[in-house]
Amino acid sequence: MDILLLIGGLLLILVGANCLTDGAASVAKRFHIPSIVIGLTIVAFGTSAPELTVSVSSALKGSADIAVGNVVGSNIFNTLMIVGCTALFAPIVITRNTLRKEIPLCILSSIVLLICANDVFLDKAPRNTLSISDGLILLCFFTIFLGYTFAIASRNTNDAQPPEEEIKSLPMWKSVLFILGGLGGLIFGGQWFVEGASNIARNLGVSESVIGLTLVAGGTSLPELATSIVAALKKNPEIAIGNVIGSNLFNIFFVLGCSASITPLQLAGINNFDLFTLVGSGILLWFFGLFFAKRTITRIEGSILVLCYIAYTTYLIYQI
């Protein structure tokens, strides 16, 4: 049964990613909306639904480490593994605007989380806690981020818009159906995969901490992985990179903002090594896009990102 959940979840994720990409790209073409806006909003928020579900439910159950660890682990997975794997399938072209604004904003979100989660160092508090006020601050940043994306849409710029002939023109009802159906497939597929993989791991005697650090964070990020690879293969690189950046911003500003606003999240298992890795992964992505291959994440750079994630995960497992 667990193997069926695992395979069924992967199939749902792949089908959902394909439908979501086609539907979102068609909407962008119909309304002349830059694809980066679609990637930063509809696609990113939809594929981050598993993280939202896991973190909010964990906060309500008092499992703060799962709530925060899911977001931190997912964002590291997004930046290193997803961008890396996507670049291995097809090099990702990053626009000048994304390199100057969206990626630095993503790095800023990680730094804000690092500051909010360092009460012991900054305030000499007995423990690190994401308080309700921290959660409200994160939600305020999320509002600013939404305003920025809508400003991009209102300017109606078509900087680095994928060629029109590369995007399918679908009827509006079909585009909406593809987006909703794709999101549903991604959400349920991600849940099935995590459940199946977690059960298999437990049956093999793997500890709960290893499951949380790897399968939960990686499993809830599978929708982003599938969507970004499919988008890159369909010659929509802006949806691919926008999906990752938007998901990271959504995870920190909205998911953690909502979770901390519901109840304070005391951090025990999440330390500065994880948070600095999160900040460093964003800086590495920005560095690769800025200095090499004319704003393109090549296969070589993608390989380096994947190796960095493998090294990080290996270190975590070794520390347990």
Side-chain angles (χ1 to χ4, degrees), residues 61-156:
K61 293 176 182 177
S63 302
D65 272 347
I66 293 180
V68 181
N70 175 45
V71 167
V72 173
S74 293
N75 280 18
I76 294 173
F77 185 90
N78 287 351
T79 305
L80 297 179
M81 184 62 80
I82 292 181
V83 175
C85 287
T86 303
L88 291 177
F89 280 88
I92 305 174
V93 179
I94 303 177
T95 65
R96 189 172 282 104
N97 196 58
T98 298
L99 198 59
R100 291 179 177 176
K101 296 179 181 178
E102 278 93 32
I103 295 180
L105 184 59
C106 191
I107 297 172
L108 174 64
S109 70
S110 303
I111 294 174
V112 170
L113 177 59
L114 176 66
I115 294 172
C116 290
N118 262 282
D119 297 329
V120 173
F121 178 74
L122 296 176
D123 296 331
K124 308 301 180 184
R127 61 180 62 87
N128 291 325
T129 304
L130 283 180
S131 64
I132 293 177
S133 59
D134 290 332
L136 294 176
I137 290 173
L138 293 176
L139 289 176
C140 287
F141 273 105
F142 178 70
T143 304
I144 295 172
F145 165 64
L146 280 184
Y148 166 72
T149 57
F150 290 139
I152 295 176
S154 66
R155 288 199 301 268
N156 197 28

Coordinates of all heavy atoms in Angstrom, one line a residue, residues 61-156:
K61 N -0.7 21.9 16.4 CA -0.5 20.7 17.2 C 0.7 20.9 18.2 O 1.0 20.1 18.9 CB -0.2 19.5 16.3 CG -1.4 19.1 15.5 CD -1.0 17.9 14.6 CE -2.2 17.5 13.8 NZ -1.8 16.4 12.8
G62 N 1.3 22.1 18.1 CA 2.4 22.4 19.0 C 3.8 21.9 18.5 O 4.7 21.8 19.3
S63 N 3.9 21.4 17.3 CA 5.1 20.9 16.8 C 5.9 22.0 16.0 O 5.9 22.0 14.8 CB 4.8 19.7 15.9 OG 4.1 18.7 16.5
A64 N 6.5 22.9 16.8 CA 7.2 24.0 16.2 C 8.3 23.6 15.3 O 8.5 24.2 14.2 CB 7.7 25.0 17.3
D65 N 9.1 22.6 15.6 CA 10.2 22.3 14.8 C 9.8 21.7 13.5 O 10.5 22.0 12.5 CB 11.1 21.2 15.5 CG 12.1 21.8 16.4 OD1 12.3 23.1 16.3 OD2 12.7 21.1 17.3
I66 N 8.7 21.0 13.4 CA 8.2 20.6 12.1 C 7.7 21.7 11.3 O 8.0 21.8 10.1 CB 7.1 19.5 12.3 CG1 7.6 18.3 13.0 CG2 6.4 19.2 11.0 CD1 6.5 17.2 13.2
A67 N 7.0 22.7 11.9 CA 6.5 23.8 11.2 C 7.6 24.7 10.6 O 7.6 25.0 9.4 CB 5.7 24.7 12.1
V68 N 8.7 25.0 11.4 CA 9.8 25.8 10.9 C 10.7 25.0 10.0 O 11.2 25.4 9.0 CB 10.6 26.4 12.1 CG1 11.7 27.3 11.6 CG2 9.6 27.3 13.0
G69 N 11.0 23.8 10.5 CA 11.9 22.9 9.7 C 11.4 22.6 8.4 O 12.2 22.5 7.4
N70 N 10.1 22.4 8.2 CA 9.5 22.2 6.9 C 9.8 23.3 6.0 O 10.2 23.1 4.8 CB 8.0 21.9 7.1 CG 7.3 21.8 5.8 OD1 7.7 21.1 4.9 ND2 6.2 22.5 5.6
V71 N 9.6 24.5 6.4 CA 9.8 25.7 5.6 C 11.3 25.9 5.3 O 11.7 26.1 4.1 CB 9.3 27.0 6.3 CG1 9.8 28.3 5.6 CG2 7.8 27.0 6.3
V72 N 12.2 25.8 6.3 CA 13.6 26.0 6.1 C 14.2 24.9 5.2 O 14.9 25.2 4.2 CB 14.4 26.0 7.4 CG1 15.9 26.1 7.2 CG2 14.0 27.2 8.3
G73 N 13.8 23.7 5.5 CA 14.3 22.6 4.6 C 13.7 22.7 3.2 O 14.5 22.4 2.2
S74 N 12.5 23.0 3.1 CA 11.9 23.2 1.7 C 12.5 24.3 0.9 O 12.8 24.1 -0.3 CB 10.4 23.4 1.8 OG 9.7 22.3 2.4
N75 N 12.8 25.4 1.5 CA 13.5 26.5 0.8 C 14.9 26.1 0.4 O 15.3 26.5 -0.7 CB 13.5 27.8 1.7 CG 12.1 28.5 1.6 OD1 11.1 27.9 1.3 ND2 12.1 29.7 2.0
I76 N 15.6 25.5 1.2 CA 17.0 25.0 0.8 C 16.9 24.0 -0.3 O 17.6 24.1 -1.3 CB 17.7 24.4 2.0 CG1 18.0 25.4 3.1 CG2 19.0 23.7 1.6 CD1 18.5 24.9 4.4
F77 N 15.9 23.1 -0.2 CA 15.7 22.1 -1.3 C 15.3 22.8 -2.6 O 15.8 22.5 -3.7 CB 14.5 21.2 -0.9 CG 14.3 20.1 -1.8 CD1 14.9 18.8 -1.7 CD2 13.4 20.2 -2.9 CE1 14.7 17.8 -2.6 CE2 13.1 19.2 -3.7 CZ 13.8 18.0 -3.6
N78 N 14.4 23.9 -2.5 CA 14.0 24.6 -3.6 C 15.2 25.2 -4.4 O 15.3 25.1 -5.6 CB 13.0 25.7 -3.2 CG 11.7 25.2 -2.9 OD1 11.4 24.0 -3.1 ND2 10.8 26.1 -2.3
T79 N 16.0 26.0 -3.6 CA 17.1 26.7 -4.2 C 18.2 25.9 -4.7 O 18.7 26.1 -5.8 CB 17.7 27.7 -3.2 OG1 16.6 28.5 -2.6 CG2 18.7 28.6 -3.8
L80 N 18.6 24.8 -4.0 CA 19.7 24.0 -4.4 C 19.3 22.9 -5.3 O 19.8 22.7 -6.4 CB 20.5 23.5 -3.2 CG 21.1 24.5 -2.2 CD1 21.8 23.8 -1.1 CD2 22.1 25.4 -3.0
M81 N 18.4 22.0 -4.8 CA 18.0 20.8 -5.6 C 17.1 21.1 -6.8 O 17.4 20.6 -7.9 CB 17.3 19.8 -4.6 CG 17.0 18.5 -5.3 SD 18.5 17.6 -5.9 CE 19.0 16.9 -4.3
I82 N 16.1 22.0 -6.6 CA 15.2 22.2 -7.7 C 15.8 23.0 -8.8 O 15.7 22.6 -10.0 CB 13.9 22.9 -7.2 CG1 13.1 21.9 -6.3 CG2 13.0 23.4 -8.3 CD1 11.8 22.5 -5.7
V83 N 16.4 24.1 -8.5 CA 17.1 24.9 -9.5 C 18.2 24.1 -10.1 O 18.4 24.1 -11.4 CB 17.7 26.2 -8.9 CG1 18.5 26.9 -10.0 CG2 16.6 27.1 -8.4
G84 N 18.9 23.3 -9.3 CA 20.0 22.5 -9.8 C 19.5 21.4 -10.8 O 20.0 21.2 -11.9
C85 N 18.5 20.7 -10.4 CA 18.0 19.6 -11.2 C 17.3 20.2 -12.5 O 17.4 19.6 -13.6 CB 16.9 18.8 -10.4 SG 17.6 17.7 -9.2
T86 N 16.6 21.3 -12.4 CA 16.0 21.9 -13.5 C 17.1 22.3 -14.5 O 16.9 22.1 -15.7 CB 15.2 23.2 -13.1 OG1 14.2 22.8 -12.1 CG2 14.5 23.8 -14.3
A87 N 18.2 22.9 -14.1 CA 19.3 23.3 -14.9 C 19.9 22.1 -15.6 O 20.4 22.2 -16.8 CB 20.3 24.1 -14.2
L88 N 19.9 20.9 -15.0 CA 20.4 19.7 -15.6 C 19.6 19.3 -16.8 O 20.1 18.8 -17.8 CB 20.5 18.6 -14.6 CG 21.6 18.8 -13.5 CD1 21.5 17.6 -12.5 CD2 23.0 18.9 -14.1
F89 N 18.3 19.5 -16.7 CA 17.4 19.2 -17.8 C 17.4 20.2 -18.9 O 17.5 19.9 -20.1 CB 15.9 19.1 -17.3 CG 15.6 17.8 -16.7 CD1 15.8 17.6 -15.3 CD2 15.1 16.7 -17.4 CE1 15.6 16.4 -14.7 CE2 14.8 15.5 -16.8 CZ 15.1 15.3 -15.4
A90 N 17.5 21.5 -18.5 CA 17.5 22.6 -19.5 C 18.1 23.8 -18.8 O 17.5 24.2 -17.8 CB 16.1 22.9 -20.1
P91 N 19.2 24.4 -19.3 CA 19.7 25.6 -18.7 C 18.7 26.7 -18.5 O 17.8 26.9 -19.4 CB 20.8 26.1 -19.7 CG 21.2 24.8 -20.4 CD 19.9 24.0 -20.5
I92 N 18.7 27.4 -17.3 CA 17.7 28.4 -17.0 C 18.2 29.8 -17.2 O 19.2 30.2 -16.7 CB 17.4 28.2 -15.5 CG1 16.9 26.8 -15.2 CG2 16.3 29.2 -15.1 CD1 16.7 26.6 -13.7
V93 N 17.6 30.5 -18.1 CA 17.9 31.9 -18.4 C 17.2 32.8 -17.4 O 16.0 32.7 -17.2 CB 17.5 32.3 -19.8 CG1 17.9 33.7 -20.1 CG2 18.2 31.4 -20.8
I94 N 18.0 33.6 -16.7 CA 17.4 34.5 -15.7 C 17.4 36.0 -16.2 O 18.5 36.4 -16.7 CB 18.3 34.5 -14.4 CG1 18.3 33.1 -13.9 CG2 17.7 35.4 -13.3 CD1 19.2 32.9 -12.6
T95 N 16.3 36.6 -16.2 CA 16.3 38.0 -16.7 C 17.0 39.0 -15.8 O 17.2 38.7 -14.6 CB 14.8 38.5 -16.8 OG1 14.2 38.6 -15.5 CG2 14.0 37.5 -17.7
R96 N 17.4 40.1 -16.3 CA 18.1 41.1 -15.5 C 17.2 41.6 -14.3 O 17.8 41.8 -13.2 CB 18.4 42.3 -16.4 CG 19.4 43.3 -15.8 CD 19.8 44.3 -16.8 NE 20.8 43.8 -17.8 CZ 20.6 43.5 -19.0 NH1 19.4 43.6 -19.5 NH2 21.6 43.0 -19.8
N97 N 15.9 41.7 -14.5 CA 15.0 42.2 -13.5 C 15.0 41.2 -12.3 O 15.0 41.5 -11.1 CB 13.6 42.4 -14.0 CG 12.8 43.3 -13.1 OD1 13.1 44.4 -12.7 ND2 11.6 42.7 -12.7
T98 N 14.9 39.9 -12.7 CA 14.9 38.8 -11.7 C 16.2 38.8 -10.9 O 16.2 38.6 -9.6 CB 14.7 37.4 -12.3 OG1 13.4 37.4 -13.0 CG2 14.7 36.3 -11.3
L99 N 17.3 39.0 -11.6 CA 18.6 39.0 -10.9 C 18.8 40.2 -10.0 O 19.4 40.1 -8.9 CB 19.7 39.0 -12.0 CG 21.1 38.5 -11.6 CD1 21.1 37.1 -11.0 CD2 22.0 38.6 -12.8
R100 N 18.2 41.3 -10.4 CA 18.4 42.5 -9.6 C 17.4 42.7 -8.5 O 17.6 43.4 -7.5 CB 18.3 43.7 -10.5 CG 19.5 43.9 -11.4 CD 19.4 45.1 -12.3 NE 20.5 45.3 -13.2 CZ 20.6 46.2 -14.1 NH1 19.6 47.1 -14.3 NH2 21.7 46.3 -14.9
K101 N 16.2 42.1 -8.6 CA 15.1 42.4 -7.7 C 14.6 41.1 -7.0 O 14.6 41.0 -5.7 CB 14.0 43.1 -8.4 CG 14.4 44.5 -8.9 CD 13.2 45.2 -9.6 CE 13.7 46.6 -10.1 NZ 12.6 47.2 -10.8
E102 N 14.1 40.1 -7.8 CA 13.5 39.0 -7.1 C 14.4 38.1 -6.3 O 14.1 37.7 -5.2 CB 12.8 38.1 -8.2 CG 11.4 38.6 -8.6 CD 11.5 39.5 -9.9 OE1 12.4 39.3 -10.7 OE2 10.7 40.4 -10.0
I103 N 15.6 37.8 -6.8 CA 16.5 36.9 -6.1 C 17.0 37.7 -4.8 O 17.1 37.1 -3.7 CB 17.7 36.4 -7.0 CG1 17.1 35.5 -8.1 CG2 18.7 35.7 -6.1 CD1 18.2 35.0 -9.0
P104 N 17.4 39.0 -4.9 CA 17.8 39.7 -3.7 C 16.7 39.7 -2.7 O 16.9 39.7 -1.4 CB 18.1 41.1 -4.2 CG 18.6 40.9 -5.6 CD 17.8 39.8 -6.1
L105 N 15.4 39.8 -3.1 CA 14.3 39.8 -2.2 C 14.2 38.5 -1.5 O 13.8 38.4 -0.3 CB 13.0 40.1 -3.0 CG 11.7 40.2 -2.2 CD1 11.8 41.4 -1.1 CD2 10.5 40.5 -3.1
C106 N 14.5 37.4 -2.3 CA 14.5 36.1 -1.7 C 15.5 35.9 -0.6 O 15.3 35.4 0.5 CB 14.7 35.0 -2.8 SG 14.4 33.3 -2.3
I107 N 16.7 36.5 -0.9 CA 17.8 36.5 0.1 C 17.4 37.3 1.3 O 17.7 36.9 2.5 CB 19.1 37.1 -0.5 CG1 19.6 36.2 -1.7 CG2 20.2 37.2 0.5 CD1 20.7 36.8 -2.5
L108 N 16.7 38.4 1.1 CA 16.3 39.3 2.2 C 15.3 38.5 3.1 O 15.4 38.6 4.3 CB 15.6 40.5 1.6 CG 14.9 41.5 2.7 CD1 16.0 42.0 3.6 CD2 14.1 42.6 2.0
S109 N 14.4 37.7 2.5 CA 13.5 37.0 3.3 C 14.2 36.0 4.3 O 13.8 35.8 5.4 CB 12.5 36.2 2.4 OG 13.1 35.1 1.7
S110 N 15.3 35.4 3.8 CA 16.0 34.5 4.6 C 16.7 35.2 5.7 O 16.8 34.7 6.9 CB 17.1 33.7 3.7 OG 16.5 33.0 2.7
I111 N 17.3 36.4 5.4 CA 17.9 37.2 6.5 C 16.9 37.7 7.5 O 17.3 37.6 8.7 CB 18.7 38.4 5.8 CG1 19.8 37.9 4.9 CG2 19.2 39.4 6.9 CD1 20.5 39.0 4.1
V112 N 15.7 38.0 7.1 CA 14.7 38.4 8.0 C 14.4 37.3 9.0 O 14.2 37.5 10.2 CB 13.4 38.9 7.3 CG1 12.3 39.1 8.3 CG2 13.7 40.2 6.6
L113 N 14.2 36.1 8.4 CA 14.0 34.9 9.3 C 15.1 34.6 10.2 O 14.9 34.3 11.4 CB 13.7 33.7 8.4 CG 13.5 32.4 9.1 CD1 12.3 32.5 10.0 CD2 13.3 31.2 8.1
L114 N 16.4 34.8 9.7 CA 17.5 34.6 10.6 C 17.5 35.5 11.8 O 17.8 35.1 12.9 CB 18.8 34.8 9.7 CG 20.2 34.7 10.4 CD1 20.4 33.3 10.9 CD2 21.3 35.2 9.5
I115 N 17.2 36.8 11.5 CA 17.1 37.8 12.6 C 16.0 37.5 13.6 O 16.2 37.5 14.8 CB 16.9 39.2 12.0 CG1 18.2 39.6 11.2 CG2 16.7 40.2 13.1 CD1 18.0 40.9 10.4
C116 N 14.8 37.2 13.0 CA 13.6 36.9 13.9 C 13.9 35.6 14.8 O 13.3 35.6 15.9 CB 12.4 36.7 13.1 SG 11.8 38.2 12.3
A117 N 14.6 34.7 14.3 CA 14.8 33.4 15.0 C 16.1 33.4 15.9 O 16.4 32.3 16.3 CB 14.9 32.3 13.9
N118 N 16.7 34.5 16.1 CA 17.9 34.6 16.9 C 17.7 35.4 18.2 O 18.5 36.3 18.5 CB 19.1 35.1 16.1 CG 19.9 34.0 15.5 OD1 20.8 33.5 16.3 ND2 19.8 33.7 14.3
D119 N 16.7 35.1 18.9 CA 16.4 35.8 20.2 C 17.5 35.6 21.2 O 17.8 36.5 22.0 CB 15.0 35.3 20.8 CG 13.9 35.7 19.8 OD1 14.0 36.7 19.1 OD2 12.9 34.9 19.8
V120 N 18.1 34.4 21.3 CA 19.1 34.1 22.3 C 20.3 35.0 22.0 O 20.9 35.6 23.0 CB 19.5 32.6 22.2 CG1 20.7 32.4 23.1 CG2 18.4 31.7 22.6
F121 N 20.7 35.1 20.8 CA 21.9 35.9 20.4 C 21.6 37.4 20.5 O 22.5 38.2 21.0 CB 22.4 35.5 19.1 CG 23.6 36.3 18.6 CD1 24.9 36.1 19.1 CD2 23.5 37.3 17.6 CE1 26.0 36.8 18.7 CE2 24.5 38.1 17.2 CZ 25.8 37.8 17.7
L122 N 20.5 37.9 20.0 CA 20.2 39.3 19.9 C 19.6 39.9 21.1 O 19.9 41.0 21.5 CB 19.3 39.5 18.7 CG 19.8 39.2 17.3 CD1 18.7 39.4 16.2 CD2 21.0 40.0 17.0
D123 N 18.7 39.2 21.8 CA 18.0 39.7 23.0 C 18.4 39.0 24.3 O 17.7 39.3 25.3 CB 16.5 39.6 22.8 CG 16.0 40.4 21.6 OD1 16.7 41.5 21.3 OD2 15.0 40.1 21.0
K124 N 19.3 38.1 24.3 CA 19.7 37.3 25.5 C 18.5 36.6 26.0 O 18.4 36.4 27.3 CB 20.3 38.2 26.5 CG 21.5 39.1 26.0 CD 22.6 38.3 25.5 CE 23.7 39.2 25.0 NZ 24.8 38.4 24.3
A125 N 17.6 36.1 25.2 CA 16.4 35.4 25.6 C 16.8 34.0 26.0 O 17.8 33.5 25.5 CB 15.3 35.4 24.5
P126 N 16.0 33.3 26.8 CA 16.3 31.9 27.2 C 16.3 30.9 26.0 O 16.9 29.9 26.0 CB 15.3 31.6 28.3 CG 14.2 32.5 28.0 CD 14.8 33.8 27.5
R127 N 15.4 31.2 25.0 CA 15.3 30.3 23.9 C 14.9 31.1 22.6 O 14.3 32.2 22.7 CB 14.3 29.2 24.1 CG 12.9 29.7 24.4 CD 11.9 28.6 24.7 NE 12.3 27.8 25.8 CZ 11.9 28.2 27.1 NH1 11.2 29.2 27.3 NH2 12.3 27.5 28.1
N128 N 15.2 30.6 21.5 CA 14.8 31.2 20.2 C 13.3 30.9 19.9 O 12.9 29.8 20.0 CB 15.6 30.7 19.1 CG 17.1 31.2 19.1 OD1 17.3 32.3 19.6 ND2 18.0 30.3 18.8
T129 N 12.6 32.0 19.7 CA 11.1 31.8 19.4 C 10.7 32.8 18.3 O 11.1 33.9 18.3 CB 10.3 32.2 20.7 OG1 10.8 31.3 21.8 CG2 8.8 31.9 20.5
L130 N 9.9 32.2 17.4 CA 9.2 33.1 16.4 C 7.9 33.5 17.1 O 6.9 32.7 17.2 CB 8.9 32.3 15.1 CG 10.1 32.1 14.2 CD1 9.6 31.4 12.9 CD2 10.7 33.5 13.8
S131 N 7.8 34.7 17.6 CA 6.7 35.2 18.3 C 5.5 35.6 17.4 O 5.7 35.6 16.2 CB 7.1 36.4 19.2 OG 7.5 37.5 18.4
I132 N 4.4 35.9 18.0 CA 3.3 36.4 17.2 C 3.6 37.7 16.5 O 3.2 37.9 15.4 CB 2.0 36.6 18.2 CG1 1.5 35.2 18.7 CG2 0.9 37.3 17.4 CD1 0.4 35.3 19.6
S133 N 4.4 38.6 17.2 CA 4.8 39.8 16.5 C 5.7 39.5 15.3 O 5.6 40.2 14.3 CB 5.5 40.8 17.5 OG 6.6 40.2 18.1
D134 N 6.6 38.5 15.5 CA 7.4 38.1 14.4 C 6.6 37.7 13.2 O 6.9 38.0 12.0 CB 8.4 37.0 14.8 CG 9.5 37.5 15.7 OD1 9.8 38.7 15.7 OD2 10.0 36.7 16.5
G135 N 5.5 36.9 13.5 CA 4.6 36.4 12.5 C 4.0 37.5 11.8 O 3.8 37.5 10.5
L136 N 3.5 38.5 12.5 CA 2.9 39.7 11.9 C 3.8 40.5 11.0 O 3.5 41.0 9.9 CB 2.3 40.6 13.0 CG 1.1 40.0 13.8 CD1 0.7 40.9 14.9 CD2 -0.1 39.6 12.8
I137 N 5.1 40.6 11.4 CA 6.1 41.3 10.6 C 6.3 40.5 9.3 O 6.4 41.1 8.2 CB 7.5 41.3 11.4 CG1 7.3 42.3 12.6 CG2 8.6 41.8 10.5 CD1 8.5 42.3 13.5
L138 N 6.4 39.2 9.4 CA 6.5 38.4 8.1 C 5.3 38.6 7.2 O 5.5 38.7 6.0 CB 6.7 36.9 8.5 CG 8.0 36.5 9.3 CD1 8.0 35.1 9.7 CD2 9.2 36.8 8.4
L139 N 4.1 38.7 7.8 CA 3.0 38.9 6.9 C 3.0 40.3 6.3 O 2.5 40.4 5.2 CB 1.7 38.7 7.8 CG 1.4 37.2 8.2 CD1 0.1 37.2 9.1 CD2 1.1 36.4 7.0
C140 N 3.5 41.2 7.0 CA 3.7 42.6 6.4 C 4.6 42.5 5.2 O 4.3 43.2 4.2 CB 4.2 43.6 7.5 SG 3.0 44.0 8.7
F141 N 5.7 41.8 5.3 CA 6.6 41.6 4.2 C 5.9 41.0 3.0 O 6.2 41.3 1.9 CB 7.9 40.8 4.6 CG 9.0 41.7 5.2 CD1 9.2 41.7 6.6 CD2 9.8 42.4 4.4 CE1 10.2 42.4 7.1 CE2 10.8 43.2 4.9 CZ 11.0 43.2 6.3
F142 N 5.1 40.0 3.4 CA 4.3 39.3 2.3 C 3.4 40.3 1.6 O 3.3 40.2 0.3 CB 3.5 38.2 2.9 CG 2.7 37.4 1.9 CD1 3.3 36.6 1.0 CD2 1.3 37.5 1.9 CE1 2.5 35.9 0.1 CE2 0.5 36.8 1.0 CZ 1.1 36.0 0.1
T143 N 2.8 41.2 2.3 CA 1.9 42.2 1.6 C 2.8 43.1 0.7 O 2.3 43.4 -0.4 CB 1.3 43.1 2.7 OG1 0.5 42.2 3.6 CG2 0.3 44.1 2.1
I144 N 4.0 43.4 1.1 CA 4.8 44.3 0.3 C 5.2 43.5 -1.0 O 5.2 44.0 -2.1 CB 6.1 44.7 1.0 CG1 5.7 45.6 2.2 CG2 7.1 45.3 0.1 CD1 6.9 45.9 3.1
F145 N 5.5 42.2 -0.8 CA 5.9 41.3 -1.9 C 4.7 41.2 -3.0 O 4.9 41.3 -4.2 CB 6.2 39.9 -1.4 CG 6.3 38.9 -2.5 CD1 7.2 38.9 -3.6 CD2 5.4 37.8 -2.5 CE1 7.2 38.0 -4.5 CE2 5.4 36.8 -3.5 CZ 6.3 36.9 -4.5
L146 N 3.5 41.1 -2.5 CA 2.3 41.0 -3.3 C 2.2 42.4 -4.1 O 1.9 42.4 -5.3 CB 1.0 40.8 -2.5 CG 0.8 39.3 -2.2 CD1 -0.6 39.2 -1.5 CD2 0.8 38.4 -3.4
G147 N 2.4 43.5 -3.4 CA 2.3 44.8 -4.1 C 3.3 44.9 -5.2 O 3.0 45.5 -6.2
Y148 N 4.5 44.4 -4.9 CA 5.6 44.4 -6.0 C 5.2 43.6 -7.2 O 5.3 44.1 -8.3 CB 6.9 43.9 -5.4 CG 7.9 43.6 -6.4 CD1 8.6 44.6 -7.1 CD2 8.2 42.2 -6.7 CE1 9.6 44.3 -8.0 CE2 9.2 42.0 -7.7 CZ 9.8 43.0 -8.3 OH 10.8 42.7 -9.3
T149 N 4.6 42.4 -7.0 CA 4.3 41.6 -8.1 C 3.1 42.2 -8.9 O 3.1 42.2 -10.2 CB 3.8 40.2 -7.7 OG1 2.8 40.3 -6.8 CG2 5.0 39.4 -7.1
F150 N 2.2 42.8 -8.2 CA 1.1 43.5 -9.0 C 1.6 44.7 -9.7 O 1.1 45.1 -10.8 CB 0.0 43.9 -8.0 CG -0.8 42.7 -7.5 CD1 -1.2 42.6 -6.1 CD2 -1.1 41.6 -8.3 CE1 -1.9 41.5 -5.7 CE2 -1.8 40.5 -7.8 CZ -2.2 40.5 -6.5
A151 N 2.6 45.4 -9.2 CA 3.2 46.5 -9.9 C 3.9 46.1 -11.2 O 3.8 46.8 -12.2 CB 4.3 47.2 -9.0
I152 N 4.5 44.9 -11.1 CA 5.1 44.3 -12.4 C 4.0 44.1 -13.4 O 4.1 44.5 -14.6 CB 5.8 43.0 -12.1 CG1 7.0 43.2 -11.2 CG2 6.3 42.3 -13.4 CD1 7.7 41.9 -10.8
A153 N 2.9 43.5 -13.0 CA 1.8 43.3 -13.9 C 1.2 44.6 -14.4 O 0.8 44.6 -15.6 CB 0.7 42.5 -13.2
S154 N 1.0 45.6 -13.6 CA 0.4 46.8 -14.1 C 1.3 47.6 -15.1 O 0.8 48.2 -16.0 CB 0.1 47.8 -12.9 OG 1.3 48.2 -12.3
R155 N 2.6 47.4 -15.0 CA 3.5 48.0 -16.0 C 3.4 47.3 -17.3 O 3.8 47.8 -18.3 CB 4.9 47.9 -15.5 CG 5.2 48.9 -14.3 CD 6.7 49.2 -14.2 NE 7.5 48.0 -14.0 CZ 7.8 47.5 -12.8 NH1 7.4 48.2 -11.7 NH2 8.5 46.4 -12.6
N156 N 2.9 46.0 -17.2 CA 2.7 45.2 -18.4 C 3.9 45.1 -19.3 O 3.9 45.2 -20.5 CB 1.5 45.8 -19.2 CG 1.0 44.8 -20.2 OD1 1.0 43.6 -20.1 ND2 0.4 45.3 -21.3

